[in-house]
Amino acid sequence: MTELVQECKSLFKNLLKIPDNFSIFFMSGGATSQFASIPLNLIDNPNSMASYVVNGAWSNLAFDECKRMAKVTLANPNQPKKDWNYAPKLQKSDIHPESKYVYYCDNETIHGVEYSQPPESFGIDLVTDMTSNFLTKPVDFTKFGIVYSGAQKNWGPAGLAIVIIRNDLLNKKGLPYKPKSMDYSYLAKTDSSEIPVPAFALVVARETIKWIMANGGLTRMNELSVQKSQILYDTIDQSNGFYVNSVKKDSRSRVNIICKLQGNDKVLTDLFVNEAQKHGLLQVAGHQSVGGLRFSVYNGMPLDGILRLQQFMKDFQANHQNKPKL
Amino acid sequence: MTELVQECKSLFKNLLKIPDNFSIFFMSGGATSQFASIPLNLIDNPNSMASYVVNGAWSNLAFDECKRMAKVTLANPNQPKKDWNYAPKLQKSDIHPESKYVYYCDNETIHGVEYSQPPESFGIDLVTDMTSNFLTKPVDFTKFGIVYSGAQKNWGPAGLAIVIIRNDLLNKKGLPYKPKSMDYSYLAKTDSSEIPVPAFALVVARETIKWIMANGGLTRMNELSVQKSQILYDTIDQSNGFYVNSVKKDSRSRVNIICKLQGNDKVLTDLFVNEAQKHGLLQVAGHQSVGGLRFSVYNGMPLDGILRLQQFMKDFQANHQNKPKL
């Protein structure tokens, strides 16, 4: 088990070019555990607080969780809280001066919104949730204090997370009621030897990283993500309003392409999902909280699948556009 | 995944005869997460507290973790904190009247100490860690508020835990800084659909329960545990002091048999471990915090392995007793 953990750490370090002044460790659970762990570890006195960018369902959950632990403020209070459709840039005045860190979600899975570049955080440590776009592009770690990711999208089965943290942040005392199983310093020091992580998930992670390395690395994964998503965005944008994606163009996710059918027609949407399934195109319904359609094109999705989906979208449109309502 | 969770819950319910007024759910992580989760969920105002029986390394860690979260008191302050070697009975006066629950560890893995019957808790809800003896005997749930177990000893790989909780305890508000990923009420309600658990571990759990059912159920597992452990305790007790187990007889664990070699000789102990390994008898070193030897005879250990170990112990004694010090 110790060898497996070390091998995985070494593979992640090589693939992502993680600098020597960062520590890597694994934790059981997914993003929800990190939502609590981050304030518990980074905030160490009752006067300090955190600034959160909330521009989608996941950053919103992270913000709500931080409220239980510590004082927290919104970095983008003027963005409407519904229909999140862009990745806001930050001004210095957006960040509360007592903030110990600035938190944002690099890719909002449900809302199909992704940062093309991390937001400026003006010298405050930047913490990011990369659960759904981790290993789909290179990462510039000089911009971050913490990068974390749950395994279940691009690198393994659910139930495992990776935390990549700048070493000086491990010296923070944190909040007094921080559970030991969420104590970053303890976890980095004991290196999964005291608090178990699921070994099977690590084995899958190891093989996945080797696969990425053998297939061109992160630069190539990014090229493929851009190519695959662009095919679908073009299909949507050229559909004369049959398919609608309302995410601002510079914030469109390379991995989660969402859209609604004309008039957001529920019956037509259900028909699309069912017929797609008959064509072997699975899991295309949008998240239940937003409806519509969502095409997730993680590293595991081949180009051929995208081309088949594109053809299906065109055929479906030809069969159903401007037809009388079902 | 939902079907797998439901199937596992149903299997656990049938095997353990869990009453209808209990809920069952799974969590990522092991006992360390539960050490925090229990006070976070069961204590809901700053004046209340918990009483802990500390009689081994694991209950001691649980006690220390509770201190971070809430007020806590020892139920057995007169038991020496080192060389834990018995499972204390409780008097009513041992339990602080403001206690929301009484906590104990049913089997102390490292110290080889097991409760043959749960301690009396005088109407206060009893919470127990059964990580290392779960599924080795029937459980009378009318005595408990919560029974929990990490998977890694008797029912699956590390990284998964089961919590079995009386339904009325799910209505407690808990402490305000309780992480959502540790919120029993939320976890019971969402049933692993929102917070992921490792699916592979659940598959192993499912097959393990089926195996137990096909091999005589929990009554048979208990008979085998008694038989296997008794063979080793007899070998120890009949060794004329070559092997020494100092746990009080009514508190000896049926699953973790610890002993020391005469004079607690480190060189002889290392030799035992190395020679045992050559005979295919693995993992017989005691935990690093206590030294000596530990024979763990979980459900997966066949009787034949015990008999081979017994023969090896006798041969080793014959070769090394009363020989000049190595």
Side-chain angles (χ1 to χ4, degrees):
Chain A
M1 181 68 187
T2 308
E3 292 79 8
L4 178 60
V5 169
Q6 294 307 325
E7 187 181 2
C8 285
K9 284 174 61 169
S10 171
L11 285 166
F12 273 108
K13 188 173 162 78
N14 288 340
L15 177 64
L16 282 155
K17 299 188 169 55
I18 299 170
D20 288 340
N21 64 328
F22 278 73
S23 290
I24 305 165
F25 59 89
F26 300 100
M27 280 175 75
S28 278
T32 312
S33 292
Q34 301 306 324
F35 296 165
S37 301
I38 286 161
L40 287 166
N41 281 281
L42 296 189
I43 293 179
D44 50 11
N45 87 63
N47 295 320
S48 56
M49 59 152 58
S51 289
Y52 276 62
V53 178
V54 171
N55 71 325
W58 293 104
S59 50
N60 195 41
L61 286 170
F63 178 69
D64 283 346
E65 185 73 355
C66 186
K67 280 188 212 160
R68 299 196 197 201
M69 312 290 161
K71 287 195 290 184
V72 56
T73 181
L74 263 180
N76 59 329
N78 297 325
Q79 183 168 6
K81 264 201 98 177
K82 274 189 160 184
D83 303 324
W84 288 292
N85 70 342
Y86 67 96
K89 291 189 169 54
L90 298 183
Q91 309 299 322
K92 191 163 186 184
S93 59
D94 293 327
I95 299 169
H96 193 286
E98 298 296 330
S99 293
K100 287 290 170 187
Y101 63 93
V102 175
Y103 180 100
Y104 82 102
C105 178
D106 206 59
N107 183 72
E108 282 285 359
T109 322
I110 293 173
H111 291 85
V113 172
E114 186 178 22
Y115 272 90
S116 57
Q117 292 293 328
E120 175 63 59
S121 63
F122 304 95
I124 311 276
D125 288 319
L126 194 59
V127 173
T128 190
D129 173 2
M130 283 201 186
T131 293
S132 50
N133 64 351
F134 196 57
L135 306 191
T136 69
K137 62 178 183 182
V139 177
D140 177 1
F141 282 91
T142 64
K143 295 189 174 168
F144 294 102
I146 296 178
V147 173
Y148 76 84
S149 169
Q152 71 273 16
K153 301 302 184 190
N154 276 300
W155 58 279
L160 181 68
I162 187 171
V163 178
I164 306 165
I165 180 169
R166 215 178 55 235
N167 288 334
D168 60 289
L169 295 176
L170 293 172
N171 300 328
K172 299 221 176 212
K173 199 165 155 242
L175 290 162
Y177 37 82
K178 171 178 58 178
K180 200 169 184 181
S181 61
M182 291 181 167
D183 182 334
Y184 284 166
S185 177
Y186 179 76
L187 292 165
K189 193 170 59 189
T190 56
D191 221 4
S192 305
S193 65
E194 297 295 323
I195 309 264
V197 292
F200 177 76
L202 279 179
V203 170
V204 176
R206 181 185 67 193
E207 298 308 312
T208 304
I209 299 174
K210 288 180 181 170
W211 178 86
I212 292 174
M213 286 173 159
N215 283 277
L218 297 179
T219 303
R220 181 64 185 146
M221 292 301 122
N222 182 40
E223 287 168 3
L224 286 169
S225 298
V226 169
Q227 183 188 9
K228 291 186 291 185
S229 59
Q230 198 56 53
I231 290 169
L232 297 179
Y233 285 124
D234 286 347
T235 309
I236 291 167
D237 292 342
Q238 292 159 13
S239 72
N240 291 317
F242 186 75
Y243 301 107
V244 179
N245 172 294
S246 54
V247 178
K248 290 189 181 169
K249 289 207 173 169
D250 67 355
S251 304
R252 282 175 161 183
S253 170
R254 297 161 308 120
V255 286
N256 304 107
I257 295 92
I258 65 165
C259 67
K260 292 197 165 146
L261 286 166
Q262 59 183 13
N264 198 16
D265 185 319
K266 176 85 174 67
V267 176
L268 197 61
T269 305
D270 290 347
L271 186 67
F272 184 102
V273 172
N274 289 332
E275 292 209 357
Q277 188 161 358
K278 287 181 199 153
H279 285 73
L281 301 161
L282 309 180
Q283 308 256 9
V284 297
H287 190 270
Q288 56 191 11
S289 62
V290 294
L293 302 170
R294 177 173 54 171
F295 312 127
S296 289
V297 299
Y298 301 123
N299 288 341
M301 169 59 69
L303 182 58
D304 177 60
I306 302 298
L307 296 174
R308 280 171 54 206
L309 173 58
Q310 180 189 37
Q311 190 58 53
F312 175 80
M313 289 171 75
K314 287 181 176 177
D315 293 345
F316 188 85
Q317 180 176 1
N319 290 333
H320 294 283
Q321 191 164 34
N322 299 324
K323 293 278 166 68
K325 222 169 163 14
L326 288 165
Chain B
M1 183 68 185
T2 309
E3 291 79 9
L4 178 61
V5 169
Q6 293 308 325
E7 187 181 2
C8 285
K9 284 174 61 169
S10 172
L11 285 165
F12 273 108
K13 188 172 162 76
N14 288 340
L15 178 64
L16 282 154
K17 298 188 172 57
I18 299 170
D20 288 339
N21 63 327
F22 278 72
S23 291
I24 306 165
F25 59 88
F26 300 101
M27 279 175 74
S28 278
T32 311
S33 292
Q34 301 306 323
F35 295 165
S37 302
I38 285 160
L40 287 167
N41 281 281
L42 296 190
I43 293 179
D44 50 10
N45 87 62
N47 294 320
S48 56
M49 59 152 56
S51 288
Y52 276 61
V53 177
V54 172
N55 71 324
W58 293 104
S59 51
N60 195 40
L61 285 170
F63 178 70
D64 283 346
E65 184 73 355
C66 185
K67 280 188 211 159
R68 300 198 196 200
M69 313 290 160
K71 288 195 290 185
V72 57
T73 182
L74 263 181
N76 59 329
N78 298 325
Q79 181 168 7
K81 262 202 99 175
K82 273 188 162 186
D83 303 324
W84 288 292
N85 70 341
Y86 66 96
K89 291 189 170 52
L90 298 183
Q91 308 300 321
K92 190 162 186 184
S93 59
D94 294 326
I95 300 169
H96 194 286
E98 298 296 328
S99 293
K100 287 290 171 188
Y101 62 93
V102 175
Y103 180 101
Y104 82 104
C105 178
D106 205 61
N107 182 73
E108 282 285 357
T109 323
I110 293 174
H111 291 84
V113 173
E114 185 178 23
Y115 272 90
S116 57
Q117 291 294 327
E120 174 64 58
S121 62
F122 303 94
I124 311 275
D125 289 318
L126 194 59
V127 173
T128 190
D129 174 2
M130 283 200 187
T131 293
S132 49
N133 64 350
F134 196 57
L135 306 191
T136 69
K137 62 178 182 181
V139 177
D140 177 1
F141 282 92
T142 64
K143 294 188 174 168
F144 295 102
I146 296 177
V147 173
Y148 76 85
S149 168
Q152 70 273 16
K153 301 302 183 189
N154 276 300
W155 57 279
L160 181 67
I162 187 171
V163 178
I164 305 165
I165 180 169
R166 215 179 55 236
N167 288 334
D168 60 290
L169 295 176
L170 294 172
N171 300 327
K172 299 218 178 215
K173 199 166 155 237
L175 290 162
Y177 36 83
K178 170 179 57 179
K180 199 168 182 180
S181 61
M182 292 180 167
D183 181 335
Y184 284 165
S185 177
Y186 179 76
L187 292 165
K189 194 170 56 187
T190 56
D191 220 3
S192 304
S193 65
E194 297 295 322
I195 310 263
V197 293
F200 177 76
L202 278 180
V203 170
V204 176
R206 181 185 66 192
E207 298 308 312
T208 304
I209 298 173
K210 287 181 182 171
W211 178 87
I212 293 173
M213 285 175 162
N215 284 278
L218 296 179
T219 303
R220 181 64 186 150
M221 292 301 122
N222 181 42
E223 286 169 5
L224 286 167
S225 299
V226 169
Q227 182 188 9
K228 292 186 291 185
S229 59
Q230 199 55 52
I231 289 169
L232 297 178
Y233 285 124
D234 286 347
T235 309
I236 290 166
D237 291 342
Q238 292 160 14
S239 72
N240 291 317
F242 185 75
Y243 302 106
V244 179
N245 172 294
S246 55
V247 178
K248 291 190 181 169
K249 290 209 173 167
D250 67 355
S251 305
R252 282 175 160 183
S253 171
R254 297 162 306 120
V255 286
N256 304 108
I257 294 91
I258 64 166
C259 67
K260 293 198 164 145
L261 285 165
Q262 58 182 14
N264 198 14
D265 186 319
K266 176 85 173 71
V267 176
L268 197 61
T269 305
D270 290 346
L271 186 68
F272 184 101
V273 172
N274 289 332
E275 294 210 355
Q277 188 162 359
K278 287 180 200 155
H279 285 72
L281 302 161
L282 309 180
Q283 309 257 9
V284 298
H287 190 268
Q288 57 191 10
S289 62
V290 294
L293 302 170
R294 177 174 53 172
F295 312 126
S296 289
V297 299
Y298 300 124
N299 287 341
M301 169 60 69
L303 182 59
D304 177 62
I306 302 298
L307 295 173
R308 282 170 54 205
L309 173 59
Q310 180 190 38
Q311 190 58 52
F312 175 81
M313 289 171 75
K314 287 181 175 176
D315 293 345
F316 188 86
Q317 179 176 1
N319 290 334
H320 295 283
Q321 191 163 35
N322 299 323
K323 295 277 165 68
K325 225 171 157 18
L326 287 167

